[in-house]
Amino acid sequence: MIIEINQACDLVIFGAKGDLSKRKLLPALYKLEKSNKIHKNTRIIGAGRADWNIQEYRKIAKTAIKNFLNEEIDDIIWRKFSTRLHFCNIDVYEKLHFFRLKKILDQKKNIIIHYCAMPPDTLNSIFIGLKNASLNPNSSRIILEKPLGVCLETSKKINNQISKYFSESQIFRIDHYLGKESILNLIALRFANSFFFHNWNNKTIDHIQITVSEEVGIEGRWNYFDTTGQMKDMIQNHILQILTIITMDQPKNITSESIKKEKLKILSSLKSINKSNINTHTVRGQYSSGIIKGKNVPSYTEEQGANKNSKTETFVAIKVNIENKKWFGVPFYLRTGKRLQCKYSEIVVFFKKMPINLFKTSNLQEFQNKLIIRLEPNENIKVDFLNKKPGLDQEYKLENSQLEYNYLSKKYPKILIDAYERLLLESMRGIQSLFVSREEIEESWKWIDPIIDAWKKTKNNEIQLYQSGTWGPENSNLLLSRDERFWYEFN
Ligand code: BG6
């Protein structure tokens, strides 16, 4: 068995009581333990406002791992993992509490990593508290969750605040989509295959659709979600990251600097959406009650803790244009929503129709080659094309065919790496390439802010209700049918 030697770390999780820590971080760390990726002296210190002792924290962690990993916990692995877990009762607004943390940390031997799984408005207190207790030495690292801020101004503010106490090489800004196998594969697909490489521009591509559909609602996170909405929760980060990866030019090399540089060029070329085009370019919706997989689910405003009058969007569809030579005239249609029919993410590349039809018995005007990249679940790649129907017919008869490659499920059934697993490991290794730069985040906000602003000011673009378990509000279809296009149906 190969044991990977990372540096020994003290990983502090601020927000240990929170959803992210229980749902994603602890299960991912347990999986890393299982695959022997964690240094033997690494420790995990949950930090939060609770007077749990170590035993209580370990018990809570075990339940969370069991619930969210959906597998039986292996006793031997758990015993090893649980000895790494410690807890520090800390209120991040109390400067002196950081000295409690200092007592637990082993600064001489271990590299300290602070994971801030806390809302944006608490971050500065964490930075200052860490600085006061000298818990920000050059060797330490700090991980920031998305969304970073709630607009350009607040994002800049956080970046300016953190830059007083940590240098850029210490800051890891997370977007967990960048840790997903299928998203990383997009780079290989585009830049290792001349077939795709040469056909990736406005001469061959008609338009591209990106769907990230979620079945879950807001999972008890009403307070967080209601001030965020789907636009800041999903589009500003995950979906814009997918968009930049599929549209960026070939980077000079495969280093994080070169890739980030290309992604940034795309972000700064996004055509702005404002009051003048908000109605033709965006749709927003909020889920009403409905049935998903045979189960009744409540509306957004009936969720636990909800404000009945909330106008926060849980669904967004946007038509995006990129103002550069390569993509001039190619629309990108993005959509994402909660409580839709099922969970799946997909990119569909529609190629241009044939200019001339040699096959008079077929209506080529109806047909477009498509490349369908299923990001999850069941990662696969399909190509839609036409074939001659075999037979003695005098005339050519064409039929639709599909090439399909199951990227992960068949060939590598055991390699199911969770995005957080990969990113936590990268942070322990001290490698920043799968993290997002300050510039990318600020550039995204520059494009997002005017949209949110226009939504507030434009009366006709009111939020539309959609029934849970459907594909979103009716206007989402209108966004495409106006251009004589249709959403590629889930199948
Ligand atoms: C998170 C959002 O960043 O991503 C959640 O805050 C969303 O609201 C989640 O549900 C989706 O992630 P995934 O990996 O399940 O697609």
Side-chain angles (χ1 to χ4, degrees):
M1 192 181 292
I2 301 168
I3 300 188
E4 183 146 344
I5 307 297
N6 290 308
Q7 294 150 300
C9 305
D10 271 0
L11 171 67
V12 183
I13 303 177
F14 287 99
K17 280 169 70 184
D19 183 72
L20 181 74
S21 165
K22 292 185 185 157
R23 186 182 293 271
K24 296 285 186 186
L25 305 182
L26 289 168
L29 288 163
Y30 170 82
K31 281 185 79 190
L32 285 173
E33 182 77 84
K34 208 169 156 185
S35 46
N36 262 317
K37 296 283 185 198
I38 309 184
H39 189 282
K40 66 179 188 344
N41 295 331
T42 287
R43 304 181 311 157
I44 297 154
I45 298 102
R49 267 191 309 185
D51 49 13
W52 296 335
N53 60 33
I54 293 190
Q55 298 316 329
E56 281 164 322
Y57 181 54
R58 289 180 181 169
K59 207 166 143 199
I60 286 160
K62 191 172 185 183
T63 312
I65 295 169
K66 219 179 190 165
N67 288 347
F68 292 112
L69 212 52
N70 233 340
E71 65 177 46
E72 272 310 307
I73 296 199
D74 181 303
D75 276 345
I76 299 174
I77 294 165
W78 170 252
R79 241 175 279 139
K80 194 170 160 203
F81 183 70
S82 66
T83 58
R84 300 181 188 277
L85 296 175
H86 299 263
F87 188 76
C88 180
N89 178 356
I90 185 167
D91 177 342
V92 297
Y93 292 110
E94 296 289 340
K95 286 183 191 157
L96 291 180
H97 284 193
F98 285 82
F99 289 90
R100 291 184 189 162
L101 182 62
K102 191 171 181 157
K103 273 195 195 144
I104 301 176
L105 298 180
D106 184 353
Q107 287 206 69
K108 287 215 179 81
K109 289 199 202 124
N110 285 9
I111 289 181
I112 307 172
I113 305 178
H114 304 290
Y115 196 120
C116 303
M118 300 270 291
D121 57 354
T122 60
L123 294 178
N124 200 34
S125 316
I126 301 181
F127 308 152
I128 295 174
L130 292 175
K131 152 79 175 67
N132 285 341
S134 308
L135 290 174
N136 62 335
N138 289 342
S139 61
S140 67
R141 298 169 195 149
I142 184 157
I143 305 177
L144 302 178
E145 258 297 332
K146 53 113 306 225
L148 197 59
V150 291
C151 61
L152 178 62
E153 197 189 325
T154 48
S155 181
K156 273 190 169 163
K157 196 168 157 194
I158 295 169
N159 279 323
N160 290 340
Q161 285 163 340
I162 197 170
S163 67
K164 292 188 198 149
Y165 315 113
F166 291 87
S167 66
E168 271 303 302
S169 62
Q170 293 175 274
I171 308 172
F172 290 64
R173 297 177 184 84
I174 216 163
D175 180 319
H176 79 274
Y177 271 49
L178 293 186
K180 291 186 187 238
E181 198 69 60
S182 55
I183 302 276
L184 292 171
N185 188 43
L186 291 174
I187 296 187
L189 207 66
R190 289 199 49 208
F191 300 115
N193 298 292
S194 74
F195 171 74
F196 294 126
F197 180 73
H198 290 297
N199 286 301
W200 217 258
N201 54 50
N202 62 359
K203 290 198 186 74
T204 48
I205 292 177
D206 174 71
H207 76 281
I208 295 184
Q209 302 182 4
I210 302 176
T211 298
V212 177
S213 148
E214 300 190 80
E215 196 181 301
V216 291
I218 37 126
E219 305 291 286
R221 297 186 301 159
W222 213 88
N223 284 341
Y224 155 76
F225 192 84
D226 201 56
T227 52
T228 310
Q230 196 74 349
M231 187 68 164
K232 299 179 194 174
D233 188 48
M234 295 294 288
I235 301 259
Q236 187 269 338
N237 32 77
H238 305 326
I239 296 190
L240 283 187
Q241 282 295 325
I242 300 178
L243 180 69
T244 55
I245 293 172
I246 60 162
T247 54
M248 68 180 180
D249 271 346
Q250 184 175 25
K252 203 165 144 205
N253 48 41
I254 207 79
T255 60
S256 91
E257 284 68 36
S258 301
I259 294 177
K260 282 174 187 162
K261 212 165 143 191
E262 292 307 328
K263 289 201 293 183
L264 197 59
K265 282 191 207 156
I266 294 291
L267 289 169
S268 58
S269 311
L270 298 179
K271 185 171 176 192
S272 78
I273 298 177
N274 48 40
K275 233 176 136 188
S276 68
N277 54 0
I278 192 90
N279 291 330
T280 49
H281 284 63
T282 71
V283 174
R284 53 193 177 130
Q286 187 188 78
Y287 61 81
S288 59
S289 58
I291 298 175
I292 300 186
K293 298 208 170 126
K295 261 183 153 177
N296 287 322
V297 292
S299 67
Y300 177 68
T301 51
E302 286 162 352
E303 294 279 11
Q304 202 188 349
N307 162 6
K308 306 272 170 271
N309 302 319
S310 170
K311 294 277 177 265
T312 298
E313 80 288 351
T314 59
F315 176 97
V316 181
I318 314 187
K319 175 179 166 180
V320 180
N321 292 94
I322 297 175
E323 293 188 304
N324 67 14
K325 216 168 135 197
K326 184 177 192 143
W327 295 114
F328 181 79
V330 178
F332 295 82
Y333 300 96
L334 322 177
R335 69 172 165 170
T336 179
K338 307 230 183 282
R339 285 270 161 77
L340 300 183
Q341 208 175 90
C342 65
K343 178 171 174 62
Y344 86 103
S345 311
E346 195 165 76
I347 300 169
V348 186
V349 181
F350 285 73
F351 290 90
K352 292 205 158 147
K353 293 175 181 168
M354 282 297 291
I356 293 166
N357 185 1
L358 295 181
F359 306 93
K360 301 296 175 222
T361 57
S362 298
N363 185 0
L364 282 194
Q365 274 318 305
E366 298 289 308
F367 181 78
Q368 285 181 278
N369 286 118
K370 288 179 274 309
L371 170 69
I372 303 138
I373 307 170
R374 171 64 63 82
L375 301 171
E376 61 187 345
N378 309 326
E379 293 81 345
N380 70 17
I381 296 163
K382 295 184 203 155
V383 180
D384 272 6
F385 65 107
L386 292 174
N387 259 327
K388 176 187 174 299
K389 242 186 181 171
L392 295 173
D393 295 317
Q394 214 176 345
E395 301 220 40
Y396 269 84
K397 287 203 175 129
L398 302 180
E399 65 180 1
N400 288 12
S401 308
Q402 198 169 56
L403 277 176
E404 180 172 349
Y405 172 63
N406 287 307
Y407 167 48
L408 284 182
S409 44
K410 286 210 179 115
K411 199 165 171 196
Y412 303 106
K414 291 206 183 104
I415 307 186
L416 267 177
I417 297 167
D418 178 78
Y420 276 98
E421 204 182 329
R422 186 192 306 277
L423 296 174
L424 282 164
L425 181 62
E426 291 293 283
S427 69
M428 291 181 201
R429 288 171 169 157
I431 300 174
Q432 280 182 318
S433 55
L434 298 181
F435 293 81
V436 189
S437 66
R438 170 178 184 162
E439 290 77 15
E440 283 174 88
I441 294 178
E442 292 184 357
E443 210 54 55
S444 315
W445 283 121
K446 274 188 207 160
W447 184 73
I448 296 282
D449 281 357
I451 302 179
I452 294 177
D453 198 44
W455 277 346
K456 284 186 197 142
K457 291 183 184 147
T458 324
K459 287 230 162 59
N460 322 356
N461 198 287
E462 302 250 296
I463 207 148
Q464 273 202 316
L465 291 181
Y466 61 95
Q467 205 183 341
S468 289
T470 63
W471 292 117
E474 194 37 48
N475 279 0
S476 160
N477 295 329
L478 200 61
L479 186 78
L480 273 77
S481 60
R482 232 183 259 128
D483 297 343
E484 297 183 13
R485 297 187 175 107
F486 305 92
W487 288 111
Y488 184 75
E489 274 183 27
F490 170 80
N491 60 55

